[in-house]
Short mmCIF file of all heavy atoms in Angstrom, two decimals:
data_model
loop_
_atom_site.label_atom_id
_atom_site.label_comp_id
_atom_site.label_asym_id
_atom_site.label_seq_id
_atom_site.Cartn_x
_atom_site.Cartn_y
_atom_site.Cartn_z
N MET A 4 -12.21 12.36 7.70
CA MET A 4 -11.21 11.32 7.82
C MET A 4 -9.97 11.88 8.52
O MET A 4 -9.53 13.02 8.26
CB MET A 4 -10.84 10.85 6.39
CG MET A 4 -9.83 9.76 6.40
SD MET A 4 -9.32 9.17 4.75
CE MET A 4 -10.80 8.95 3.89
N LYS A 5 -9.45 11.12 9.42
CA LYS A 5 -8.27 11.59 10.17
C LYS A 5 -7.08 11.64 9.25
O LYS A 5 -6.93 10.86 8.34
CB LYS A 5 -7.97 10.68 11.33
CG LYS A 5 -8.99 10.73 12.45
CD LYS A 5 -8.52 9.81 13.59
CE LYS A 5 -9.43 9.89 14.73
NZ LYS A 5 -9.04 9.00 15.83
N LYS A 6 -6.16 12.53 9.56
CA LYS A 6 -4.99 12.67 8.78
C LYS A 6 -4.13 11.44 8.81
O LYS A 6 -3.50 11.07 7.79
CB LYS A 6 -4.17 13.87 9.27
CG LYS A 6 -2.97 14.26 8.49
CD LYS A 6 -3.34 14.89 7.19
CE LYS A 6 -2.09 15.35 6.48
NZ LYS A 6 -2.35 15.88 5.18
N GLU A 7 -4.09 10.75 9.97
CA GLU A 7 -3.22 9.58 10.10
C GLU A 7 -3.75 8.41 9.26
O GLU A 7 -2.96 7.57 8.82
CB GLU A 7 -3.11 9.18 11.56
CG GLU A 7 -4.39 8.66 12.16
CD GLU A 7 -4.24 8.38 13.64
OE1 GLU A 7 -3.40 8.99 14.31
OE2 GLU A 7 -4.93 7.46 14.09
N ASN A 8 -5.05 8.38 9.00
CA ASN A 8 -5.59 7.28 8.21
C ASN A 8 -5.70 7.59 6.70
O ASN A 8 -5.85 6.69 5.88
CB ASN A 8 -6.99 6.91 8.70
CG ASN A 8 -6.95 6.25 10.05
OD1 ASN A 8 -5.98 5.61 10.39
ND2 ASN A 8 -7.97 6.42 10.83
N GLN A 9 -5.61 8.86 6.36
CA GLN A 9 -5.79 9.28 4.98
C GLN A 9 -4.75 8.62 4.03
O GLN A 9 -5.11 8.04 3.02
CB GLN A 9 -5.73 10.80 4.86
CG GLN A 9 -6.04 11.34 3.50
CD GLN A 9 -6.07 12.85 3.51
OE1 GLN A 9 -5.65 13.50 4.47
NE2 GLN A 9 -6.51 13.40 2.42
N MET A 10 -3.49 8.72 4.39
CA MET A 10 -2.41 8.16 3.57
C MET A 10 -2.52 6.63 3.53
O MET A 10 -2.29 6.02 2.49
CB MET A 10 -1.08 8.58 4.14
CG MET A 10 0.03 8.32 3.19
SD MET A 10 -0.15 9.39 1.74
CE MET A 10 1.43 10.08 1.64
N PHE A 11 -2.95 6.03 4.62
CA PHE A 11 -3.14 4.59 4.71
C PHE A 11 -4.14 4.11 3.68
O PHE A 11 -3.94 3.14 2.94
CB PHE A 11 -3.54 4.17 6.12
CG PHE A 11 -3.87 2.73 6.27
CD1 PHE A 11 -2.90 1.72 6.18
CD2 PHE A 11 -5.19 2.33 6.50
CE1 PHE A 11 -3.23 0.39 6.33
CE2 PHE A 11 -5.54 1.01 6.65
CZ PHE A 11 -4.55 0.05 6.56
N TYR A 12 -5.30 4.80 3.61
CA TYR A 12 -6.33 4.42 2.66
C TYR A 12 -5.92 4.66 1.22
O TYR A 12 -6.20 3.85 0.37
CB TYR A 12 -7.66 5.17 2.99
CG TYR A 12 -8.28 4.69 4.24
CD1 TYR A 12 -8.70 5.60 5.23
CD2 TYR A 12 -8.54 3.35 4.50
CE1 TYR A 12 -9.32 5.17 6.38
CE2 TYR A 12 -9.09 2.91 5.66
CZ TYR A 12 -9.50 3.82 6.61
OH TYR A 12 -10.10 3.39 7.74
N ILE A 13 -5.23 5.76 1.01
CA ILE A 13 -4.84 6.07 -0.39
C ILE A 13 -3.81 5.03 -0.88
O ILE A 13 -3.93 4.49 -1.95
CB ILE A 13 -4.26 7.47 -0.48
CG1 ILE A 13 -5.38 8.50 -0.25
CG2 ILE A 13 -3.56 7.72 -1.83
CD1 ILE A 13 -4.83 9.93 -0.10
N LEU A 14 -2.77 4.79 -0.09
CA LEU A 14 -1.75 3.82 -0.47
C LEU A 14 -2.32 2.42 -0.52
O LEU A 14 -1.92 1.61 -1.35
CB LEU A 14 -0.56 3.88 0.45
CG LEU A 14 0.30 5.18 0.36
CD1 LEU A 14 1.39 5.17 1.42
CD2 LEU A 14 0.89 5.28 -1.01
N GLY A 15 -3.24 2.10 0.38
CA GLY A 15 -3.88 0.76 0.31
C GLY A 15 -4.66 0.55 -0.94
O GLY A 15 -4.62 -0.53 -1.56
N ALA A 16 -5.41 1.58 -1.37
CA ALA A 16 -6.23 1.47 -2.57
C ALA A 16 -5.35 1.33 -3.80
O ALA A 16 -5.62 0.51 -4.67
CB ALA A 16 -7.14 2.73 -2.71
N VAL A 17 -4.25 2.13 -3.86
CA VAL A 17 -3.34 2.02 -5.01
C VAL A 17 -2.64 0.66 -4.98
O VAL A 17 -2.45 0.01 -6.02
CB VAL A 17 -2.34 3.16 -5.00
CG1 VAL A 17 -1.27 3.00 -6.08
CG2 VAL A 17 -3.08 4.49 -5.19
N GLY A 18 -2.29 0.19 -3.81
CA GLY A 18 -1.66 -1.14 -3.71
C GLY A 18 -2.52 -2.24 -4.14
O GLY A 18 -2.11 -3.16 -4.87
N ILE A 19 -3.81 -2.21 -3.74
CA ILE A 19 -4.77 -3.23 -4.15
C ILE A 19 -4.99 -3.17 -5.65
O ILE A 19 -5.06 -4.20 -6.33
CB ILE A 19 -6.06 -3.10 -3.36
CG1 ILE A 19 -5.81 -3.50 -1.90
CG2 ILE A 19 -7.19 -3.95 -3.99
CD1 ILE A 19 -7.01 -3.20 -0.98
N ALA A 20 -5.05 -1.95 -6.22
CA ALA A 20 -5.19 -1.80 -7.66
C ALA A 20 -3.99 -2.42 -8.38
O ALA A 20 -4.14 -3.07 -9.44
CB ALA A 20 -5.37 -0.34 -8.05
N ASN A 21 -2.78 -2.22 -7.85
CA ASN A 21 -1.57 -2.79 -8.48
C ASN A 21 -1.65 -4.32 -8.41
O ASN A 21 -1.24 -4.99 -9.37
CB ASN A 21 -0.35 -2.28 -7.76
CG ASN A 21 0.19 -1.03 -8.30
OD1 ASN A 21 -0.47 -0.40 -9.16
ND2 ASN A 21 1.31 -0.59 -7.83
N ILE A 22 -2.10 -4.88 -7.30
CA ILE A 22 -2.17 -6.33 -7.19
C ILE A 22 -3.18 -6.90 -8.17
O ILE A 22 -2.95 -7.93 -8.82
CB ILE A 22 -2.46 -6.74 -5.74
CG1 ILE A 22 -1.25 -6.38 -4.85
CG2 ILE A 22 -2.81 -8.23 -5.64
CD1 ILE A 22 -1.47 -6.60 -3.38
N ILE A 23 -4.34 -6.22 -8.30
CA ILE A 23 -5.34 -6.70 -9.25
C ILE A 23 -4.81 -6.62 -10.68
O ILE A 23 -4.99 -7.56 -11.48
CB ILE A 23 -6.64 -5.88 -9.08
CG1 ILE A 23 -7.29 -6.22 -7.77
CG2 ILE A 23 -7.60 -6.15 -10.22
CD1 ILE A 23 -8.44 -5.29 -7.35
N ALA A 24 -4.13 -5.49 -11.00
CA ALA A 24 -3.54 -5.35 -12.33
C ALA A 24 -2.47 -6.44 -12.60
O ALA A 24 -2.39 -6.97 -13.71
CB ALA A 24 -2.94 -3.96 -12.49
N ALA A 25 -1.70 -6.76 -11.56
CA ALA A 25 -0.70 -7.81 -11.71
C ALA A 25 -1.34 -9.15 -11.98
O ALA A 25 -0.82 -9.94 -12.83
CB ALA A 25 0.16 -7.88 -10.44
N LEU A 26 -2.44 -9.44 -11.30
CA LEU A 26 -3.08 -10.74 -11.55
C LEU A 26 -3.68 -10.81 -12.95
O LEU A 26 -3.59 -11.84 -13.62
CB LEU A 26 -4.17 -10.96 -10.51
CG LEU A 26 -3.69 -11.14 -9.05
CD1 LEU A 26 -4.87 -11.21 -8.10
CD2 LEU A 26 -2.83 -12.38 -8.93
N ILE A 27 -4.26 -9.72 -13.42
CA ILE A 27 -4.78 -9.68 -14.78
C ILE A 27 -3.66 -9.84 -15.81
O ILE A 27 -3.80 -10.57 -16.79
CB ILE A 27 -5.59 -8.38 -15.02
CG1 ILE A 27 -6.85 -8.40 -14.17
CG2 ILE A 27 -5.91 -8.18 -16.46
CD1 ILE A 27 -7.60 -7.07 -14.10
N LEU A 28 -2.55 -9.13 -15.60
CA LEU A 28 -1.42 -9.20 -16.53
C LEU A 28 -0.79 -10.57 -16.49
O LEU A 28 -0.30 -11.06 -17.53
CB LEU A 28 -0.38 -8.13 -16.20
CG LEU A 28 -0.71 -6.75 -16.65
CD1 LEU A 28 0.35 -5.76 -16.15
CD2 LEU A 28 -0.82 -6.68 -18.14
N ALA A 29 -0.78 -11.24 -15.35
CA ALA A 29 -0.19 -12.57 -15.29
C ALA A 29 -0.95 -13.57 -16.15
O ALA A 29 -0.37 -14.49 -16.69
CB ALA A 29 -0.19 -13.07 -13.81
N VAL A 30 -2.25 -13.35 -16.27
CA VAL A 30 -3.11 -14.23 -17.09
C VAL A 30 -3.00 -13.89 -18.55
O VAL A 30 -2.99 -14.75 -19.43
CB VAL A 30 -4.55 -14.17 -16.61
CG1 VAL A 30 -5.46 -14.96 -17.50
CG2 VAL A 30 -4.63 -14.70 -15.18
N THR A 31 -2.90 -12.58 -18.87
CA THR A 31 -2.99 -12.15 -20.27
C THR A 31 -1.69 -12.08 -21.04
O THR A 31 -1.71 -12.27 -22.26
CB THR A 31 -3.68 -10.79 -20.37
OG1 THR A 31 -2.95 -9.84 -19.63
CG2 THR A 31 -5.13 -10.86 -19.83
N ILE A 32 -0.55 -11.81 -20.40
CA ILE A 32 0.70 -11.70 -21.13
C ILE A 32 1.61 -12.84 -20.72
O ILE A 32 1.48 -13.48 -19.70
CB ILE A 32 1.38 -10.33 -20.89
CG1 ILE A 32 1.77 -10.16 -19.44
CG2 ILE A 32 0.49 -9.22 -21.35
CD1 ILE A 32 2.62 -8.93 -19.18
N SER A 33 2.61 -13.03 -21.57
CA SER A 33 3.54 -14.14 -21.35
C SER A 33 4.78 -13.75 -20.52
O SER A 33 5.56 -14.60 -20.16
CB SER A 33 4.00 -14.68 -22.70
OG SER A 33 4.68 -13.68 -23.42
N ASN A 34 4.93 -12.45 -20.23
CA ASN A 34 6.10 -12.02 -19.47
C ASN A 34 5.72 -11.90 -17.99
O ASN A 34 5.07 -10.93 -17.59
CB ASN A 34 6.57 -10.64 -20.02
CG ASN A 34 7.88 -10.22 -19.42
OD1 ASN A 34 8.41 -10.89 -18.59
ND2 ASN A 34 8.39 -9.11 -19.86
N PRO A 35 6.15 -12.83 -17.21
CA PRO A 35 5.74 -12.82 -15.78
C PRO A 35 6.50 -11.75 -14.95
O PRO A 35 6.06 -11.43 -13.84
CB PRO A 35 6.11 -14.19 -15.26
CG PRO A 35 7.23 -14.65 -16.15
CD PRO A 35 6.96 -14.05 -17.51
N MET A 36 7.56 -11.20 -15.49
CA MET A 36 8.32 -10.18 -14.73
C MET A 36 7.53 -8.90 -14.49
O MET A 36 7.59 -8.27 -13.40
CB MET A 36 9.66 -9.87 -15.46
CG MET A 36 10.54 -8.96 -14.66
SD MET A 36 11.01 -9.60 -13.05
CE MET A 36 12.33 -10.61 -13.49
N VAL A 37 6.76 -8.50 -15.48
CA VAL A 37 5.93 -7.28 -15.35
C VAL A 37 4.90 -7.50 -14.28
O VAL A 37 4.71 -6.64 -13.37
CB VAL A 37 5.27 -6.94 -16.68
CG1 VAL A 37 4.32 -5.80 -16.54
CG2 VAL A 37 6.29 -6.65 -17.77
N ALA A 38 4.25 -8.62 -14.28
CA ALA A 38 3.22 -8.94 -13.26
C ALA A 38 3.86 -9.04 -11.89
O ALA A 38 3.30 -8.51 -10.88
CB ALA A 38 2.50 -10.21 -13.60
N ALA A 39 5.05 -9.64 -11.79
CA ALA A 39 5.71 -9.76 -10.51
C ALA A 39 6.09 -8.37 -9.95
O ALA A 39 5.98 -8.09 -8.76
CB ALA A 39 6.93 -10.64 -10.63
N MET A 40 6.60 -7.52 -10.83
CA MET A 40 6.96 -6.14 -10.38
C MET A 40 5.75 -5.38 -9.85
O MET A 40 5.82 -4.72 -8.85
CB MET A 40 7.57 -5.39 -11.54
CG MET A 40 9.02 -5.04 -11.29
SD MET A 40 9.85 -4.08 -12.58
CE MET A 40 8.68 -3.64 -13.77
N LEU A 41 4.61 -5.46 -10.56
CA LEU A 41 3.41 -4.79 -10.10
C LEU A 41 2.91 -5.35 -8.77
O LEU A 41 2.47 -4.65 -7.92
CB LEU A 41 2.31 -4.90 -11.17
CG LEU A 41 2.23 -3.81 -12.19
CD1 LEU A 41 1.16 -4.13 -13.22
CD2 LEU A 41 1.94 -2.50 -11.57
N PHE A 42 3.00 -6.68 -8.65
CA PHE A 42 2.56 -7.36 -7.44
C PHE A 42 3.37 -6.87 -6.25
O PHE A 42 2.86 -6.50 -5.19
CB PHE A 42 2.63 -8.87 -7.60
CG PHE A 42 2.03 -9.61 -6.48
CD1 PHE A 42 0.69 -9.78 -6.34
CD2 PHE A 42 2.86 -10.19 -5.49
CE1 PHE A 42 0.14 -10.46 -5.27
CE2 PHE A 42 2.34 -10.91 -4.44
CZ PHE A 42 0.97 -11.04 -4.33
N VAL A 43 4.69 -6.88 -6.43
CA VAL A 43 5.58 -6.47 -5.33
C VAL A 43 5.41 -5.02 -5.01
O VAL A 43 5.40 -4.60 -3.82
CB VAL A 43 7.06 -6.78 -5.68
CG1 VAL A 43 8.03 -6.17 -4.70
CG2 VAL A 43 7.28 -8.30 -5.75
N SER A 44 5.24 -4.16 -6.03
CA SER A 44 5.01 -2.72 -5.76
C SER A 44 3.71 -2.52 -5.01
O SER A 44 3.62 -1.63 -4.13
CB SER A 44 5.06 -1.92 -7.03
OG SER A 44 3.91 -2.12 -7.80
N GLY A 45 2.68 -3.29 -5.32
CA GLY A 45 1.44 -3.19 -4.59
C GLY A 45 1.59 -3.57 -3.13
O GLY A 45 1.06 -2.87 -2.22
N ILE A 46 2.34 -4.61 -2.84
CA ILE A 46 2.55 -5.01 -1.47
C ILE A 46 3.37 -3.93 -0.74
O ILE A 46 3.07 -3.58 0.39
CB ILE A 46 3.29 -6.37 -1.43
CG1 ILE A 46 2.31 -7.49 -1.90
CG2 ILE A 46 3.81 -6.69 -0.03
CD1 ILE A 46 2.94 -8.83 -2.04
N LEU A 47 4.38 -3.40 -1.41
CA LEU A 47 5.19 -2.36 -0.75
C LEU A 47 4.39 -1.10 -0.49
O LEU A 47 4.63 -0.43 0.54
CB LEU A 47 6.44 -2.07 -1.59
CG LEU A 47 7.49 -3.15 -1.64
CD1 LEU A 47 8.61 -2.79 -2.60
CD2 LEU A 47 8.03 -3.40 -0.27
N LEU A 48 3.49 -0.75 -1.37
CA LEU A 48 2.63 0.44 -1.14
C LEU A 48 1.73 0.20 0.10
O LEU A 48 1.58 1.11 0.90
CB LEU A 48 1.78 0.73 -2.35
CG LEU A 48 2.47 1.49 -3.49
CD1 LEU A 48 1.59 1.45 -4.74
CD2 LEU A 48 2.73 2.90 -3.09
N MET A 49 1.18 -0.97 0.22
CA MET A 49 0.30 -1.25 1.37
C MET A 49 1.13 -1.24 2.65
O MET A 49 0.67 -0.70 3.68
CB MET A 49 -0.42 -2.55 1.14
CG MET A 49 -1.45 -2.47 0.11
SD MET A 49 -2.63 -3.83 -0.05
CE MET A 49 -1.62 -5.26 0.00
N VAL A 50 2.29 -1.83 2.63
CA VAL A 50 3.16 -1.81 3.83
C VAL A 50 3.57 -0.40 4.15
O VAL A 50 3.62 -0.03 5.35
CB VAL A 50 4.40 -2.73 3.62
CG1 VAL A 50 5.43 -2.56 4.69
CG2 VAL A 50 3.93 -4.18 3.54
N GLY A 51 3.87 0.43 3.16
CA GLY A 51 4.25 1.84 3.41
C GLY A 51 3.09 2.62 4.04
O GLY A 51 3.34 3.42 4.93
N GLY A 52 1.89 2.38 3.58
CA GLY A 52 0.76 3.05 4.19
C GLY A 52 0.54 2.61 5.66
O GLY A 52 0.24 3.43 6.52
N TRP A 53 0.72 1.35 5.90
CA TRP A 53 0.62 0.86 7.29
C TRP A 53 1.69 1.45 8.17
O TRP A 53 1.41 1.87 9.31
CB TRP A 53 0.69 -0.68 7.25
CG TRP A 53 0.67 -1.29 8.61
CD1 TRP A 53 -0.40 -1.41 9.44
CD2 TRP A 53 1.81 -1.81 9.33
NE1 TRP A 53 -0.03 -2.01 10.60
CE2 TRP A 53 1.33 -2.28 10.55
CE3 TRP A 53 3.13 -1.99 9.01
CZ2 TRP A 53 2.17 -2.87 11.46
CZ3 TRP A 53 3.97 -2.60 9.94
CH2 TRP A 53 3.44 -3.01 11.17
N ALA A 54 2.91 1.51 7.69
CA ALA A 54 4.03 2.05 8.44
C ALA A 54 3.84 3.56 8.72
O ALA A 54 4.13 4.06 9.81
CB ALA A 54 5.33 1.82 7.74
N ASP A 55 3.30 4.26 7.73
CA ASP A 55 3.07 5.69 7.88
C ASP A 55 1.99 5.94 8.95
O ASP A 55 2.19 6.84 9.81
CB ASP A 55 2.60 6.32 6.55
CG ASP A 55 2.34 7.80 6.66
OD1 ASP A 55 3.29 8.55 6.95
OD2 ASP A 55 1.16 8.18 6.49
N ARG A 56 0.95 5.14 8.92
CA ARG A 56 -0.12 5.33 9.95
C ARG A 56 0.45 4.99 11.34
O ARG A 56 0.14 5.69 12.31
CB ARG A 56 -1.28 4.37 9.61
CG ARG A 56 -2.43 4.58 10.60
CD ARG A 56 -3.62 3.74 10.24
NE ARG A 56 -3.31 2.35 10.37
CZ ARG A 56 -4.21 1.37 10.33
NH1 ARG A 56 -5.50 1.68 10.16
NH2 ARG A 56 -3.91 0.12 10.46
N ARG A 57 1.23 3.96 11.43
CA ARG A 57 1.81 3.57 12.72
C ARG A 57 2.72 4.67 13.27
O ARG A 57 2.69 5.00 14.47
CB ARG A 57 2.58 2.27 12.54
CG ARG A 57 2.92 1.59 13.80
CD ARG A 57 3.42 0.21 13.52
NE ARG A 57 4.60 0.05 14.34
CZ ARG A 57 5.51 -0.87 14.14
NH1 ARG A 57 5.39 -1.76 13.19
NH2 ARG A 57 6.55 -0.96 14.93
N GLU A 58 3.53 5.24 12.39
CA GLU A 58 4.46 6.31 12.80
C GLU A 58 3.72 7.54 13.21
O GLU A 58 4.09 8.23 14.18
CB GLU A 58 5.41 6.65 11.65
CG GLU A 58 6.50 7.60 12.01
CD GLU A 58 7.43 7.07 13.08
OE1 GLU A 58 7.68 5.83 13.14
OE2 GLU A 58 7.91 7.90 13.90
N ARG A 59 2.64 7.92 12.49
CA ARG A 59 1.89 9.09 12.88
C ARG A 59 1.17 8.91 14.27
O ARG A 59 1.08 9.82 15.05
CB ARG A 59 0.78 9.38 11.84
CG ARG A 59 1.38 10.02 10.58
CD ARG A 59 0.27 10.28 9.61
NE ARG A 59 0.78 10.65 8.34
CZ ARG A 59 0.82 11.89 7.88
NH1 ARG A 59 0.37 12.88 8.61
NH2 ARG A 59 1.31 12.10 6.67
N ARG A 60 0.74 7.67 14.52
CA ARG A 60 0.16 7.38 15.84
C ARG A 60 1.19 7.53 16.93
O ARG A 60 0.88 8.06 18.01
CB ARG A 60 -0.48 6.02 15.87
CG ARG A 60 -1.75 5.92 15.14
CD ARG A 60 -2.43 4.56 15.29
NE ARG A 60 -3.70 4.53 14.59
CZ ARG A 60 -4.39 3.44 14.42
NH1 ARG A 60 -3.96 2.30 14.87
NH2 ARG A 60 -5.52 3.51 13.74
N LYS A 61 2.42 7.06 16.69
CA LYS A 61 3.48 7.19 17.68
C LYS A 61 3.79 8.63 17.97
O LYS A 61 3.96 9.06 19.09
CB LYS A 61 4.72 6.51 17.17
CG LYS A 61 4.84 5.06 17.45
CD LYS A 61 6.22 4.58 17.05
CE LYS A 61 6.32 3.10 17.02
NZ LYS A 61 7.65 2.63 16.55
N ARG A 62 3.86 9.43 16.88
CA ARG A 62 4.16 10.85 17.02
C ARG A 62 3.08 11.61 17.79
O ARG A 62 3.38 12.55 18.56
CB ARG A 62 4.36 11.50 15.62
CG ARG A 62 5.67 12.19 15.51
CD ARG A 62 5.88 12.84 14.16
NE ARG A 62 6.14 11.88 13.17
CZ ARG A 62 5.83 11.94 11.91
NH1 ARG A 62 5.15 12.97 11.47
NH2 ARG A 62 6.15 11.01 11.06
N ASN A 63 1.84 11.24 17.56
CA ASN A 63 0.73 11.92 18.23
C ASN A 63 0.63 11.56 19.71
O ASN A 63 0.12 12.35 20.50
CB ASN A 63 -0.62 11.58 17.56
CG ASN A 63 -0.76 12.27 16.24
OD1 ASN A 63 -0.11 13.27 15.97
ND2 ASN A 63 -1.62 11.72 15.35
N LYS A 64 1.12 10.39 20.12
CA LYS A 64 1.10 10.00 21.52
C LYS A 64 2.11 10.79 22.36
O LYS A 64 1.91 11.01 23.51
CB LYS A 64 1.36 8.51 21.67
CG LYS A 64 0.20 7.65 21.29
CD LYS A 64 0.50 6.22 21.52
CE LYS A 64 -0.71 5.35 21.16
NZ LYS A 64 -0.45 3.95 21.37
N LYS A 65 3.18 11.27 21.72
CA LYS A 65 4.23 11.97 22.44
C LYS A 65 3.84 13.37 22.76
O LYS A 65 3.02 14.02 22.64
CB LYS A 65 5.52 12.02 21.64
CG LYS A 65 6.18 10.67 21.58
CD LYS A 65 7.46 10.76 20.83
CE LYS A 65 8.15 9.40 20.81
NZ LYS A 65 9.36 9.40 20.13
#
């Protein structure tokens, strides 16, 4: 696996796990704030992985 894609896959997997956990918690508990926080953190992790991969590609082109 390339170094530029490694962080993308790791952060993407953790982000998807956070979103799945948020959906499960939204159904099982009555406090929606916990589920919303997990959901947003999952999205931010996936965006961070995408931005890291993009930045590494830019650096490698130079």
Side-chain angles (χ1 to χ4, degrees):
M4 182 182 311
K5 289 184 178 179
K6 184 74 173 175
E7 67 184 30
N8 290 332
Q9 186 176 10
M10 195 66 130
F11 174 70
Y12 289 129
I13 292 170
L14 289 176
V17 173
I19 290 171
N21 273 7
I22 291 173
I23 291 170
L26 293 174
I27 292 170
L28 283 175
V30 173
T31 58
I32 63 173
S33 61
N34 188 358
M36 185 59 82
V37 175
M40 244 182 7
L41 268 176
F42 187 79
V43 170
S44 73
I46 291 174
L47 290 175
L48 279 168
M49 290 192 312
V50 168
W53 176 74
D55 181 65
R56 182 176 67 168
R57 194 169 134 196
E58 187 62 32
R59 285 180 192 258
R60 283 186 179 171
K61 274 186 191 177
R62 234 182 284 149
N63 288 338
K64 284 184 181 180
K65 288 183 180 181

